[in-house]
Amino acid sequence: MSPSNLLFTSSPHVHGGDSIPRIMQTVIWALVPAILLSVWIFGWPALLVIVITTLAAVATEYMMARIRCRPAPLGDLSAALTGLLLALTLPPHSPWWICVAGGFFAILLGKQVYGGLGYNMFNPALIARVFLLVSFPVELTTWPQPSGLMSPQALSFGDALSLIFSGHLPPGGVVDAISSATPLGQYHIGLSMGKTVQDVLGGAYAFDHLKAATGFIAGSLGETSAVLLALGGLYLLAKRIITWHIPLSMLAGCLVPATIFWLLDGTRYPDPIFHLVTGGLVMGVFFMATDMVTSPVTPLGQILFGAGCGLLTYIIRTWGGYPEGVSFAIVIMNAVVPLLDQYTRPVVYGKAKKNA
């Protein structure tokens, strides 16, 4: 064969069949059961929050593409997934302007200022969640009790529109009557007052591990059903969209210290299952920390990254100023990713190790 007939290209030489739209679509499918249950539990307002936030993220992506005179990459579904994930970190009755501001911030300052998809340093959905939480703490910490889409207390679609877009409940409704503290918030307040775990989570509050695991508690949409979110995560593992390194190490990073402190003083520190089924730990483990762009590429780096996310989550939940720490923990560890990639980089085949 003449050398002129050979084609010389750089690696990779074999295509695995994956594509950005396929990966994003698979992640969205994995979220669908938890999304449907969250709408069932919190009703029409939850659906409006999801739709508005997703549309805001997609519209911002389109607007930025037009400003930069580039084709709008809406077909890769990355903007839609970012908006969807952000919506799941919000309270079910978030006002429309919170949804729009969050979607706008996630795409503009979470992704586009870095150059677009693949160049961002922080998880766009989580950096927007952190921005909203520190800027609008009241709106981001107002939690309605689950009322059920078909329950007598559920809002009609028209009432939901009025609540989301005007901020007012229908005649006869009282905001305080449907608001409640999340289990993590309840524990955080009680701990600061020197109360025991039983005093805070028992009695009238009557925390139930099973109800928390299935999602029938007050909280953000992404706190709905740790069980369904875990099943979605297992689906991603089976489809090889993610690997076990970050989920397992992040769970261990949070649950191991939780177990140690619980064994040392069970009256002050709740059991590890409490941390597993409350807040956004399961969602962060499978859907946030595993973001391909903002997590390490080496297996050892991923394990260290996940362990750091889990440990920071437990520290913030127990001694921090906010009851939930998943968002802050992952964003902080996102900043460490370049360092982890540098120091866990494997030796190139054919080269000797420095200490050999």
Side-chain angles (χ1 to χ4, degrees):
M1 178 180 295
S2 170
S4 61
N5 294 329
L6 299 177
L7 178 63
F8 295 95
T9 63
S10 60
S11 60
H13 303 291
V14 178
H15 195 282
D18 279 336
S19 64
I20 294 175
R22 176 185 171 276
I23 292 173
M24 299 297 170
Q25 190 177 51
T26 304
V27 177
I28 291 174
W29 278 118
L31 286 170
V32 166
I35 291 173
L36 293 178
L37 183 63
S38 69
V39 174
W40 176 263
I41 292 175
F42 293 106
W44 294 114
L47 179 62
L48 292 174
V49 168
I50 293 172
V51 171
I52 296 171
T53 308
T54 304
L55 288 179
V58 171
T60 305
E61 183 91 326
Y62 177 79
M63 179 184 67
M64 291 305 300
R66 294 298 300 268
I67 292 175
R68 301 173 67 185
C69 299
R70 295 182 176 180
L74 302 184
D76 65 14
L77 300 178
S78 63
L81 179 58
T82 296
L84 199 56
L85 289 173
L86 173 62
L88 294 179
T89 70
L90 300 179
H93 289 184
S94 297
W96 68 272
W97 55 270
I98 284 283
C99 304
V100 172
F104 180 78
F105 189 96
I107 298 300
L108 180 63
L109 297 181
K111 190 168 80 170
Q112 290 295 335
V113 294
Y114 296 97
L117 182 64
Y119 298 96
N120 50 296
M121 187 173 181
F122 301 100
N123 184 305
L126 288 185
I127 200 70
R129 152 77 178 175
V130 170
F131 161 72
L132 292 174
L133 182 60
V134 298
S135 302
F136 311 104
V138 175
E139 289 78 5
L140 266 288
T141 53
T142 300
W143 313 104
Q145 290 182 349
S147 56
L149 189 61
M150 300 299 174
S151 69
Q153 298 79 21
L155 300 177
S156 67
F157 185 72
D159 294 337
L161 284 172
S162 174
L163 178 64
I164 297 298
F165 285 97
S166 72
H168 300 292
L169 286 172
V174 182
V175 175
D176 290 341
I178 65 170
S179 297
S180 176
T182 65
L184 283 172
Q186 186 78 4
Y187 166 67
H188 196 263
I189 295 172
L191 189 67
S192 64
M193 299 172 65
K195 295 183 178 180
T196 67
V197 173
Q198 180 58 34
D199 291 337
V200 176
L201 300 178
Y205 191 79
F207 174 75
D208 187 311
H209 287 78
L210 180 59
K211 290 178 69 175
T214 51
F216 289 87
I217 56 173
S220 68
L221 296 172
E223 296 179 33
T224 298
S225 187
V227 173
L228 291 182
L229 288 169
L231 289 175
L234 294 176
Y235 173 70
L236 294 181
L237 285 168
K239 300 293 286 185
R240 298 185 178 182
I241 301 298
I242 62 175
T243 64
W244 60 269
H245 303 83
I246 292 177
L248 191 60
S249 59
M250 185 171 174
L251 285 174
C254 182
L255 300 185
V256 168
T259 303
I260 293 173
F261 280 97
W262 173 60
L263 291 174
L264 290 175
D265 187 357
T267 62
R268 180 174 174 82
Y269 302 102
D271 60 82
I273 304 301
F274 171 81
H275 285 279
L276 180 64
V277 299
T278 58
L281 180 61
V282 175
M283 183 175 170
V285 161
F286 289 109
F287 295 96
M288 296 295 197
T290 53
D291 177 24
M292 294 178 179
V293 178
T294 58
S295 60
V297 295
T298 65
L300 178 57
Q302 291 175 354
I303 291 173
L304 295 175
F305 173 81
C309 290
L311 181 59
L312 287 174
T313 296
Y314 182 74
I315 291 174
I316 296 172
R317 280 183 174 187
T318 307
W319 297 285
Y322 289 95
E324 174 57 294
V326 172
S327 301
F328 290 102
I330 295 176
V331 168
I332 291 172
M333 289 305 296
N334 284 159
V336 188
V337 167
L339 200 64
L340 292 175
D341 278 336
Q342 179 180 346
Y343 286 101
T344 60
R345 186 169 47 192
V347 177
V348 177
Y349 181 73
K351 283 192 174 183
K353 295 182 179 178
K354 291 183 179 180
N355 59 353

